[in-house]
Amino acid sequence: MATIHVDGKSYEVNGSENLLQACLSLGIDIPYFCWHPSLGSVGSCRQCAVTQYANPEDTRGRLVMSCMTPASDNTYISIEDKEAKDFRESIVEFLMTNHPHDCPVCEEGGHCHLQDMTVMTGHDRRRYRFTKRTHHNQELGSFIAHEMNRCIACYRCVRYYNDYAGGTDFGVYASASRVYFGRPESGTLESEFSGNLTEVCPTGVFTDKTHSARYNRKWDMQYAPSVCQGCSSGCNISPGERYGELRRIENRFNGDVNQYFLCDKGRFGAGYVNREDRPRQPQFRNGTEVTTVSVDTALDTVIENIQGKKVLGIGSPRASLESNYALRELVGQAHYSTGMSQKEQSLVELAASIMQTEGIYNPGMREIESYDAVLILGEDLTQTAPRMALSVRQAAKNKAKQMAEERRTQDWLAEPVQRIGQNAKSPIYILAATQTRLADVATGEVVASPNDIARLGFAVAAAVKGETILGLDDDAKAFAQTIADTLKAAKKPLIISGTSLQDAAIMEAATQVAQNLGGNAGLTLTVPEVNSMGLALFGGLSLEQAFAQDYDSIVIVENDLFRHLPAAQVQAAFDKAQSVIVLDHSETDTVKAADIVLSAASFVEGDGTVVSQEGRAQRFYQVYDPSYYKPELAIKESWRWLHAIETGVKGKAISWTLLDDVIESVVKNVPALEAIQDVAPNAGYRVHGLKVAREPRRYSGRTAIRALLNVHEPKQPVDKDSALTFSMEGYVGPQNASSLVPFAWAPGWNSPQSWNKYQDEVGGHLKGGDAGVRLFDRLAKRPVRSYVAPTAIVANPDSFRLVPMHHIFASGEFTVKTPAMESRIPAPVFAVGEQDAKRLNVQDGQQLTINAGETVIRLPVQVIEYLPSGYIGYPVGQAPTVSLAEPVSVAVGV
């Protein structure tokens, strides 16, 4: 700690920070542009100037940049000194010299850091009267719009894109006084994290193109705290709605999880909720014939179809815990399925079991950044858990920070740390089935079959204990020894694995490495979907087990079964049933096969709890009520539909009227999920007697929203399920519980930089703790167990095996239904290594036919530099679901 003196007042601050960060953490405003908590200090904008004095007697002082000055003990500064204030005002005036005066038409207006800082400095006169410098804009793809004339050359964009996110197709170019930030030529930004430019940029240079098509100001959107549904990472988001449409998704700060950044899948991949073809009212279906019916008719028919019958309930790893529990209550525990295949369920249950093992420590996403050696077994993280991949990139920089620390250089000094590090990186080893997007930061990367990855992982585990594993060649043993020596020498080694290659032995190998390392070793395991880990703790039958039962009817909740089992197997199960009842919010193949469809709420239309791969239980909340805009719509959370059906079938009174009622019942009956009651405050929570407002203070036009229906403004919907209100008449500000912050705003801070007002210290954690509860920290530990390396699989020259190939956009169930994603989704292909391409005599573009069980798939070939011999890359999510465990036959077409 250190004591600093600001304008005659003394404060205790973190002495390892710079003065700008220290003052902002104290709630003292200093304007700035180039500095960012995650990017460090470069001192390029000169906006954060303050006057520093040598001692209390010094009355003259000198101007210093607060972002470049340490908050050392007995530092005396003045923010209000006239020279400092005049200097800051002049800097803003210089920056605004060529900036267009286009706030009324700029999409960043009302959300703009430049606006906030211009007001903060007091600059309000434009004296420059000559021709402004102008630039041509670039086409940067379907996600990001580019308006270079608004640039103030703060360098944040290029520092984020290249230095933080590892991009290579974006830079800064200059000729004389003309500085340009963009690509060498127009074209789609290649980084999977490009969308963060919209929040990193303090002006309107980079804006959300998906929002541009249906644009409105920030203050005219309604928000709710939410959780990204794109993968199992559990990133926090703030979805914004207007006129009953999801308009934009912004990052919601969580100091333990995503911090300031999202991947492009999470930021741009939720447009499917606006699709016109989704079920918005109950439907009776007979093939392609669809009839819309009332809620009462639908419920009466469902009750009639299942009353007194054997009913099978199929849950879903993308549905909330509450909806899965309501389904189990309806059909009974013996007839409830998780909605996962036997293979998928065994993998996620293994992951959950490992995380409950004595001595295993599972770090959060932010903590991953602090590890100084990383081994990744079997995961292409950028495709399967992209935000975690971004954290691993930061872990690679710890070597440079260590070198800087040895030279007494603070880690927030971005440029000096880079110069001292000279591209030195902490060791990262990757064993994967194909080359990964993290190859540029990897010390070593091996492409191998899933079986060989597992065996090499066990070899590393043996080498950690000074043992050797039989059956490996000398090169593999030497490489395993190198990895083991590196991990043992590290202060904090981390092992990352997961389910994407559908091989339990890989996760077991990762666990064995972590257990053998002991001490400070961490282990992280990724799982497929947003609530996969929640269902692993919840329990239930696999799909194969469920379909082996006798049943008359099937009730399916938010699950496309054709993505989990081969189509013939699913269709056979449907043919066995007298009626198939599906609750979902999207038009899926399962919905098309249903007899009755109940229109379920998506994550922006309902509330619920999910559990991330970390075991962090978090709650998402309803952003808007669809029936407010269109009273004929009947979109309800799945648990509401199911509870209404249950009460009708069992002839009992409705007992769940609130979300809290369902949570209370889950807590009482599922011991492993008892802690979800602590995830967020209940519906009775108030701040100064007020519910929390979903809408910013300047929210306007409520009457206009429904003018087509009625010019009289109706009463806003009443939200009885949460402490949030569908109104701006409520509490807005940083005193809110972290799990209930819908959006970031503070007086004088309208941009995403306003998160600093919600944090205990800038860039740290939210006041009162970050959202979510880590369930594995509260569950009883299981005894340590040892795992055995699998035997080697002998290649059969007459057949091939399929290896899953994931793509961040193409493999997602709903990204493919999002219009903005269309240009980013590659055509489905079979990937074949050069060696097998020669053996099969195939070239790029030729057709390959694969027979997998009863399924025949025909796709073009893409020859890649290397893929393990005897394996063919299979495009997950873009081709029919098949079993990857058995060899397949291959035929080459013309």
Side-chain angles (χ1 to χ4, degrees):
M1 297 298 288
T3 301
I4 64 172
H5 309 273
V6 183
D7 289 313
K9 295 182 179 180
S10 300
Y11 301 93
E12 290 288 324
V13 299
N14 185 344
S16 64
E17 298 174 346
N18 58 56
L19 281 174
L20 174 59
Q21 188 171 3
C23 288
L24 291 173
S25 297
L26 292 168
I28 301 171
D29 290 344
I30 300 177
Y32 63 91
F33 288 116
C34 66
W35 180 79
H36 186 283
S38 294
L39 306 180
S41 305
V42 292
S44 66
C45 73
R46 323 306 290 172
Q47 185 60 68
C48 64
V50 297
T51 301
Q52 183 178 14
Y53 302 97
N55 50 55
E57 289 72 36
D58 182 6
T59 58
R60 189 170 182 179
R62 64 191 179 98
L63 286 179
V64 299
M65 301 307 117
S66 59
C67 76
M68 300 295 290
T69 307
S72 52
D73 200 28
N74 283 325
T75 297
Y76 292 83
I77 63 170
S78 174
I79 300 170
E80 299 301 323
D81 178 66
K82 186 178 186 305
E83 182 182 14
K85 291 176 69 174
D86 290 347
F87 181 84
R88 293 195 297 266
E89 186 174 343
S90 69
I91 290 296
V92 166
E93 185 172 13
F94 288 141
L95 292 175
M96 296 293 289
T97 298
N98 288 290
H99 191 83
H101 200 180
D102 67 344
C103 293
V105 297
C106 175
E107 291 189 17
E108 197 74 1
H111 193 56
C112 177
H113 187 62
L114 175 60
Q115 285 180 332
D116 292 346
M117 299 299 99
T118 303
V119 172
M120 190 179 292
T121 58
H123 171 65
D124 61 359
R125 293 291 184 274
R126 185 180 290 261
R127 294 186 289 175
Y128 184 74
R129 292 292 180 267
F130 305 98
T131 302
K132 293 178 181 290
R133 181 177 58 225
T134 57
H135 302 273
H136 290 290
N137 302 320
Q138 290 184 324
E139 173 57 43
L140 299 179
S142 60
F143 295 159
I144 304 292
H146 188 230
E147 178 50 78
M148 185 58 205
N149 292 321
R150 297 173 184 148
C151 182
I152 60 171
C154 72
Y155 285 82
R156 265 201 205 176
C157 59
V158 71
R159 291 172 58 220
Y160 161 74
Y161 195 91
N162 294 348
D163 300 342
Y164 193 93
T168 57
D169 61 319
F170 182 92
V172 54
Y173 310 93
S175 174
S177 63
R178 300 176 66 85
V179 180
Y180 193 90
F181 295 85
R183 288 171 50 87
E185 59 184 5
S186 289
T188 300
L189 288 169
E190 295 172 2
S191 172
E192 294 85 356
F193 308 97
S194 64
N196 294 307
L197 289 172
T198 63
E199 294 187 24
V200 166
C201 177
T203 72
V205 177
F206 303 99
T207 52
D208 184 340
K209 189 178 284 188
T210 66
H211 183 210
S212 302
R214 304 282 286 168
Y215 181 75
N216 53 270
R217 296 295 185 192
K218 173 181 180 176
W219 61 75
D220 274 338
M221 279 194 287
Q222 184 166 235
Y223 300 86
S226 195
V227 179
C228 178
Q229 308 288 299
C231 73
S232 64
S233 295
C235 295
N236 288 197
I237 57 174
S238 287
E241 169 269 347
R242 180 72 166 173
Y243 291 106
E245 294 178 334
L246 177 64
R247 294 292 178 85
R248 180 168 69 187
I249 287 181
E250 299 174 61
N251 183 75
R252 183 165 67 100
F253 185 88
N254 186 314
D256 281 339
V257 188
N258 48 294
Q259 301 174 74
Y260 291 97
F261 306 121
L262 298 172
C263 74
D264 287 354
K265 180 180 182 180
R267 187 180 293 274
F268 302 113
Y272 63 90
V273 304
N274 295 331
R275 289 181 67 102
E276 290 297 325
D277 63 355
R278 56 170 289 198
R280 297 174 188 269
Q281 295 167 287
Q283 300 171 346
F284 289 167
R285 292 192 173 221
N286 184 9
T288 57
E289 184 181 338
V290 179
T291 304
T292 299
V293 297
S294 68
V295 170
D296 290 341
T297 301
L299 287 175
D300 290 343
T301 305
V302 170
I303 292 168
E304 180 182 342
N305 280 4
I306 69 174
Q307 195 155 28
K309 305 286 181 65
K310 297 175 183 177
V311 184
L312 186 62
I314 308 295
S316 171
R318 65 170 163 89
S320 68
L321 290 174
E322 291 83 358
S323 293
N324 278 283
Y325 178 76
L327 177 62
R328 197 179 81 175
E329 288 293 285
L330 171 64
V331 301
Q333 189 164 353
H335 307 290
Y336 164 79
S337 167
T338 61
M340 295 183 277
S341 68
Q342 181 67 54
K343 184 69 173 178
E344 181 183 348
Q345 183 163 331
S346 66
L347 288 169
V348 296
E349 287 178 345
L350 173 62
S353 174
I354 289 170
M355 286 307 154
Q356 296 173 70
T357 301
E358 188 71 42
I360 292 294
Y361 177 68
N362 178 22
M365 201 118 61
R366 181 177 189 154
E367 192 176 354
I368 288 174
E369 300 178 6
S370 67
Y371 284 82
D372 58 349
V374 181
L375 170 61
I376 303 174
L377 285 175
E379 289 294 314
D380 184 355
L381 287 178
T382 308
Q383 316 304 332
T384 59
R387 185 58 185 82
M388 188 184 296
L390 195 58
S391 292
V392 171
R393 283 193 174 277
Q394 310 324 306
K397 301 172 184 174
N398 287 328
K399 177 64 175 177
K401 292 180 180 179
Q402 179 188 343
M403 295 169 65
E405 184 180 2
E406 292 169 355
R407 291 159 178 78
R408 297 184 179 181
T409 301
Q410 295 93 338
D411 62 5
W412 46 263
L413 287 165
E415 294 294 337
V417 170
Q418 277 191 337
R419 287 196 299 270
I420 292 169
Q422 291 294 307
N423 296 319
K425 293 182 174 64
S426 296
I428 295 176
Y429 290 95
I430 304 174
L431 312 182
T434 185
Q435 188 176 35
T436 72
R437 294 279 281 171
L438 288 174
D440 59 310
V441 295
T443 306
E445 184 177 55
V446 170
V447 177
S449 70
N451 178 254
D452 287 340
I453 290 170
R455 288 172 54 76
L456 193 51
F458 275 105
V460 173
V464 167
K465 296 184 70 174
E467 302 169 354
T468 58
I469 188 171
L470 301 177
L472 293 179
D473 59 35
D474 291 340
D475 288 343
K477 289 178 182 177
F479 186 62
Q481 188 64 56
T482 299
I483 296 175
D485 292 341
T486 302
L487 295 174
K488 286 196 294 184
K491 294 179 181 178
K492 286 184 69 176
L494 175 66
I495 319 301
I496 299 176
S497 188
T499 64
S500 69
L501 292 185
Q502 300 185 23
D503 192 328
I506 295 176
M507 289 197 293
E508 292 173 349
T511 307
Q512 196 65 60
V513 175
Q515 288 180 165
N516 289 359
L517 285 168
N520 294 322
L523 175 66
T524 290
L525 301 175
T526 68
V527 292
E529 300 198 56
V530 63
N531 202 22
S532 292
M533 194 63 84
L535 285 203
L537 295 173
F538 186 68
L541 304 173
S542 69
L543 284 173
E544 290 92 333
Q545 291 171 325
F547 289 151
Q549 294 185 348
D550 290 329
Y551 54 85
D552 301 313
S553 298
I554 307 176
V555 179
I556 303 168
V557 175
E558 299 178 43
N559 198 338
D560 185 2
L561 303 190
F562 292 93
R563 290 181 63 88
H564 295 273
L565 289 178
Q569 197 171 347
V570 175
Q571 194 58 56
F574 287 174
D575 292 343
K576 259 176 72 175
Q578 298 172 12
S579 61
V580 177
I581 300 151
V582 178
L583 294 79
D584 214 334
H585 50 70
S586 293
E587 184 83 353
T588 68
D589 289 340
T590 299
V591 166
K592 292 174 183 176
D595 300 309
I596 303 173
V597 177
L598 301 181
S599 42
S602 68
F603 75 100
V604 295
E605 297 150 341
D607 311 307
T609 308
V610 292
V611 182
S612 72
Q613 55 81 25
E614 177 196 350
R616 181 180 293 270
Q618 300 183 101
R619 196 152 297 142
F620 60 88
Y621 288 98
Q622 183 180 17
V623 182
Y624 64 98
D625 181 354
S627 62
Y628 176 74
Y629 302 97
K630 295 181 178 179
E632 70 274 14
L633 298 187
I635 296 174
K636 304 177 187 300
E637 292 103 324
S638 293
W639 64 263
R640 291 191 191 277
W641 283 114
L642 293 166
H643 185 60
I645 295 168
E646 183 197 358
T647 57
V649 169
K650 298 179 181 179
K652 65 178 188 178
I654 290 177
S655 56
W656 296 346
T657 56
L658 305 176
L659 179 68
D660 290 339
D661 297 333
V662 196
I663 293 172
E664 183 181 352
S665 190
V666 173
V667 167
K668 287 180 179 177
N669 295 287
V670 188
L673 300 176
E674 182 180 353
I676 70 168
Q677 63 188 329
D678 301 326
V679 166
N682 62 27
Y685 176 82
R686 300 291 185 271
V687 182
H688 305 309
L690 300 173
K691 296 188 81 170
V692 178
R694 282 180 169 89
E695 300 162 0
R697 287 279 188 240
R698 291 180 290 174
Y699 190 88
S700 63
R702 286 181 298 179
T703 303
I705 287 175
R706 285 175 46 102
L708 294 175
L709 302 177
N710 195 319
V711 294
H712 299 288
E713 179 182 341
K715 179 183 178 182
Q716 290 288 303
V718 177
D719 185 0
K720 297 181 179 179
D721 287 309
S722 75
L724 299 161
T725 178
F726 294 104
S727 173
M728 65 178 176
E729 286 85 20
Y731 176 77
V732 177
Q735 296 180 35
N736 200 355
S738 58
S739 57
L740 289 173
V741 178
F743 56 87
W745 175 89
W749 295 82
N750 298 287
S751 78
Q753 305 304 310
S754 53
W755 281 113
N756 74 73
K757 297 297 183 182
Y758 292 75
Q759 297 163 345
D760 52 8
E761 62 179 43
V762 176
H765 299 269
L766 295 177
K767 296 174 180 176
D770 295 304
V773 172
R774 281 170 54 96
L775 299 183
F776 294 132
D777 292 346
R778 301 194 181 191
L779 295 175
K781 295 299 182 182
R782 300 180 179 181
V784 175
R785 58 170 294 187
S786 296
Y787 302 94
V788 179
T791 57
I793 294 178
V794 179
N796 183 345
D798 298 324
S799 65
F800 285 80
R801 289 180 179 272
L802 299 179
V803 61
M805 303 284 278
H806 296 266
H807 188 278
I808 181 174
F809 303 132
S811 297
E813 181 175 357
F814 296 117
T815 47
V816 295
K817 298 177 180 289
T818 298
M821 291 287 173
E822 290 176 0
S823 63
R824 302 299 301 272
I825 296 176
V829 294
F830 288 129
V832 178
E834 290 180 349
Q835 184 178 350
D836 282 329
K838 290 178 182 177
R839 179 156 69 98
L840 291 168
N841 194 26
V842 295
Q843 298 177 345
D844 276 336
Q846 281 189 277
Q847 295 290 316
L848 203 65
T849 301
I850 287 179
N851 292 280
E854 299 180 30
T855 307
V856 178
I857 306 147
R858 184 179 174 88
L859 289 175
V861 165
Q862 180 184 21
V863 179
I864 61 177
E865 183 177 359
Y866 183 75
L867 199 68
S869 180
Y871 283 82
I872 294 175
Y874 189 78
V876 174
Q878 292 186 283
T881 302
V882 296
S883 171
L884 303 180
E886 301 300 325
V888 298
S889 61
V890 176
V892 180
V894 179

